[in-house]
Amino acid sequence: MDTADGLRWAGELTLTRHDPDTGATFIIRVDSVRHGRSAGGTRAARYDSLTDALRDAARLAEAMSLKMAVSNLPMGGGKSVIALPAPRRDLDESTWRHILRLHAENIDRLNGTYWTGPDVNTNSSDMDTLSETTKFVFGRSPGRGGAGSSAHNTAVGVFEAMKATARFAGLGELDGLTVLIQGLGAVGGRLAMLAADAGAHLLVADVNADRLRWAQEFGCRPVDPDAVTSAPCDILAPCALGGLIDDAVAQRLPAAAVVGAANNILAGEHAGEILHERGVLYAPDFVSNAGGAYHLVGHEVLGWDADTVADHTADIGQTLTEVYEISSAGAVPTDAAARDLARRRAEAQP
Ligand code: NAD
Ligand code: PPY
């Protein structure tokens, strides 16, 4: 992985560009093209430093390679970060469109080595805007010929992962379990509805008061966003940003299992080992949240219909069970077991 400066890492390519007019800094990181063109979404966010943004892009790109490999998708991993000069909501539409156009120019220069898609703070409408300048874009709106939002399918995949994890952890079915969802956005909100329908008792946290109110209306109990790692629950589902579980949090997390949509849930170098030693079953995020990749790559590259996408997404529970069996047999953390399965599946690809 990358070291302190965010530059020395094992990936294949980094493109950076700064635009003095808007103050935006653009980063594209291609982790691997060994198994095809690379792909991964565009995250737009504020960062404390360029180093932080480079590191985030590298970790996210690496997670995409693992996701593609473990999901048997014929692509490599990459990711873009747009380090914003101000919170996204404070940017006027013409500045945002200008930023997107510059980002699209960068993507286009890579000539298909990297394909983008939606991620935090970018959506299908933004993909439509990018596609005015470059064709290397997943997830345009259906009216523009794309597969549209991947959020629903991601939520369905995380739900399958949650059911498989509860069974493997000896918790049984979701009915009656306490599930704490952090982040009620496009994925977390849908996941909350699926888990509630399955009979789970829901605790929810979001920094957005409207989303919290919406969840309370269908019976969810709110938790302070700062208390998500100290509130007892059966399953913690991080569906906001990554990095929730560092080594110290792993040491005291009062949950039996962790299954969520967020990319890079583990922040600490030893967090996976600590959870494993404590018997907290961790579902590696790049396995659980692959429903979005099945939706985008399935529809737009592989020509799958909705049923085929749904079938592959339903298999996420099976893949995760395989990860847990490798972990149990080898007494290794689930994160290491999933990396091992990803490597084996990548080697088996034509
Ligand atoms: P989103 O922006 O729609 O939702 C994120 C939610 O988290 C928002 O409601 C936000 O208010 C909330 N939030 C932010 N910080 C928080 C905090 N500290 N505490 C509590 N809530 C907080 O994003 P999304 O599309 O739902 O994606 C969620 C996560 O899943 C992201 O990490 C994303 O990278 C990952 N993911 C998404 C997809 C997809 O298809 N959308 C696919 C794979 C992975
Ligand atoms: C992710 O799954 O984390 C993404 O970034 C979404 C995605 C998946 C596959 C291609 C492009 C974007």
Side-chain angles (χ1 to χ4, degrees):
M1 212 335 113
D2 55 331
T3 52
D5 59 12
L7 274 176
R8 281 166 283 168
W9 68 308
E12 305 222 11
L13 179 147
T14 302
L15 180 151
T16 62
R17 177 178 175 185
H18 178 69
D19 176 48
D21 291 338
T22 56
T25 301
F26 304 86
I27 300 167
I28 299 175
R29 300 203 96 156
V30 172
D31 180 66
S32 158
V33 285
R34 280 187 295 281
H35 301 287
R37 299 159 293 176
S38 75
T42 295
R43 173 170 294 197
R46 299 270 290 151
Y47 288 89
D48 288 339
S49 67
L50 178 59
T51 300
D52 283 358
L54 282 164
R55 271 208 219 108
D56 200 27
R59 280 175 56 82
L60 290 165
E62 193 210 12
M64 285 308 302
S65 293
L66 292 165
K67 190 178 314 190
M68 297 295 187
V70 87
S71 310
N72 285 320
L73 289 168
M75 299 201 81
K79 207 87 171 192
S80 316
V81 157
I82 305 177
L84 296 174
R88 167 66 188 94
R89 63 180 173 279
D90 294 346
L91 296 175
D92 63 62
E93 271 321 285
S94 83
T95 305
W96 176 238
R97 280 185 66 82
H98 181 61
I99 287 173
L100 288 176
R101 199 171 62 248
L102 295 176
H103 181 44
E105 283 174 14
N106 299 337
I107 294 169
D108 207 56
R109 281 183 191 153
L110 296 178
N111 215 13
T113 298
Y114 166 72
W115 285 64
T116 199
D119 195 87
V120 174
N121 277 330
T122 60
N123 56 25
S124 285
S125 153
D126 298 323
M127 297 306 113
D128 293 344
T129 304
L130 293 175
S131 72
E132 290 164 14
T133 306
T134 181
K135 64 180 181 188
F136 306 119
V137 181
F138 286 114
R140 286 164 295 143
S141 45
R144 298 280 197 99
S149 169
S150 52
H152 172 74
N153 218 56
T154 302
V156 170
V158 176
F159 181 60
E160 293 299 329
M162 196 176 272
K163 289 189 290 186
T165 302
R167 284 183 202 131
F168 202 88
L171 299 169
E173 302 306 311
L174 294 184
D175 192 9
L177 296 185
T178 300
V179 174
L180 195 171
I181 300 185
Q182 181 211 32
L184 295 165
V187 179
R190 289 173 168 88
L191 180 64
M193 289 194 278
L194 291 169
D197 279 351
H201 301 300
L202 286 185
L203 302 177
V204 291
D206 201 298
V207 289
N208 179 321
D210 291 339
R211 290 185 181 167
L212 210 51
R213 253 193 306 280
W214 165 82
Q216 283 177 266
E217 274 165 25
F218 73 92
C220 302
R221 278 184 293 144
V223 167
D224 187 315
D226 291 333
V228 289
T229 57
S230 54
C233 60
D234 293 304
I235 301 175
L236 173 63
C239 297
L241 298 175
L244 183 67
I245 302 183
D246 61 15
D247 295 355
V249 169
Q251 203 67 257
R252 55 174 165 69
L253 193 73
V258 178
V259 190
N263 284 303
N264 298 333
I265 290 172
L266 301 183
E269 212 181 319
H270 303 292
E273 285 161 44
I274 298 168
L275 291 176
H276 179 70
E277 279 159 17
R278 291 189 55 228
V280 178
L281 192 57
Y282 167 64
D285 44 54
F286 59 84
V287 182
S288 308
N289 71 16
Y294 280 132
H295 175 81
L296 296 173
V297 179
H299 280 302
E300 296 193 27
V301 175
L302 302 171
W304 291 351
D305 59 16
D307 287 346
T308 311
V309 170
D311 288 347
H312 281 86
T313 304
D315 281 348
I316 286 175
Q318 180 53 42
T319 299
L320 208 44
T321 304
E322 208 176 315
V323 166
Y324 294 149
E325 281 163 356
I326 296 168
S327 163
S328 292
V332 292
T334 52
D335 192 49
R339 284 168 186 267
D340 185 43
L341 184 62
R343 186 182 45 74
R344 282 196 258 149
R345 287 191 172 180
E347 279 167 8
Q349 273 191 26

